Amino acid sequence: MAYSWFKAFHIVGFVVWFAGLFYLVRLFIYHVEANQEPEPARTILKNQYQIMEKRLYGIITNPGMYVTIAMALGIISTEPDILKEPWLHFKLLFVAVLIGYHHYCARLMKQLAADECRWSGQHLRALNEAPTLMLVVIVMLAVFKNNLPTDLTAWLIFGLVVFMAVSIQLYAKIRRRNKEKQLEQLNQVPQA
């Protein structure tokens, strides 16, 4: 019975953790793009994003990570033989990368607060795709374990994920170009 409780809350933990990571980097994008706004909007937006980032990281993202890790340790304590499974070693490798990503987000948050972040909105959009790819790999390993499919269906799903990531990037680029065109048109309008 303990295994089921640990597993249930492990799933809840990683859903919360990923939700926090997805939204956190989205806030970073808005924070960076606030630099393009005129004053006083720039300062107001940057201050608001900084508050939102701190709260999201401290109240949702960190606890989600802690619950995920604690429940994983609970699962291992009830099923220690699981540590012998090769799929788990790969999963733990991706989880370690995800923990590194999590802490790198904290570093970016501090840089944004100090106005020292050199990342553009476009770079942050690309960074925001990393947890999606890690989520797909981690879930696939957890579901299929040592029988991870390598057939055409698996490659189609992988291709779909890559296509979605590329589409998001292209959409952002088109949106940015349209905004730049609108600004150019506004600047070309003669003042009365």
Side-chain angles (χ1 to χ4, degrees):
M1 183 58 95
Y3 175 83
S4 296
W5 282 104
F6 288 137
K7 189 172 183 180
F9 282 100
H10 180 68
I11 292 169
V12 169
F14 82 72
V15 167
V16 170
W17 186 16
F18 273 96
L21 288 175
F22 290 146
Y23 190 48
L24 185 63
V25 179
R26 177 56 52 185
L27 287 175
F28 293 168
I29 293 166
Y30 298 148
H31 193 143
V32 165
E33 291 178 349
N35 285 323
Q36 299 167 0
E37 299 296 326
E39 286 296 349
R42 177 185 310 137
T43 302
I44 292 168
L45 288 170
K46 289 173 71 169
N47 288 339
Q48 184 61 41
Y49 291 134
Q50 188 174 344
I51 291 166
M52 293 169 70
E53 291 159 3
K54 283 182 181 177
R55 288 180 181 167
L56 177 65
Y57 193 81
I59 298 172
I60 295 174
T61 313
N62 269 340
M65 179 184 69
Y66 297 142
V67 168
T68 302
I69 293 169
M71 296 303 108
L73 294 173
I75 290 169
I76 291 169
S77 73
T78 61
E79 301 277 333
D81 287 343
I82 199 170
L83 285 172
K84 298 175 184 173
E85 298 291 333
W87 68 270
L88 184 63
H89 300 161
F90 287 109
K91 179 184 173 190
L92 291 174
L93 174 68
F94 281 97
V95 170
V97 170
L98 188 65
I99 291 169
Y101 177 89
H102 177 101
H103 290 294
Y104 186 72
C105 284
R107 183 174 171 215
L108 282 176
M109 192 168 56
K110 289 176 185 172
Q111 289 176 355
L112 285 163
D115 216 10
E116 297 172 351
C117 182
R118 300 293 167 237
W119 286 69
S120 69
Q122 186 66 19
H123 291 123
L124 288 167
R125 281 184 178 81
L127 181 69
N128 201 27
E129 302 305 322
T132 303
L133 296 174
M134 286 186 267
L135 175 65
V136 169
V137 171
I138 290 168
V139 169
M140 297 277 282
L141 286 166
V143 169
F144 292 106
K145 300 186 180 1
N146 291 323
N147 298 316
L148 189 65
T150 56
D151 60 0
L152 181 61
T153 304
W155 285 108
L156 286 174
I157 292 170
F158 177 77
L160 180 63
V161 171
V162 171
F163 174 76
M164 288 171 33
V166 169
S167 297
I168 291 167
Q169 294 299 318
L170 288 174
Y171 172 73
K173 194 172 193 176
I174 291 168
R175 200 176 87 217
R176 191 174 54 256
R177 280 189 193 156
N178 289 340
K179 188 174 182 180
E180 289 170 0
K181 285 181 184 178
Q182 287 175 343
L183 287 173
E184 285 176 21
Q185 289 173 350
L186 288 174
N187 290 335
Q188 291 176 357
V189 174
Q191 299 293 326

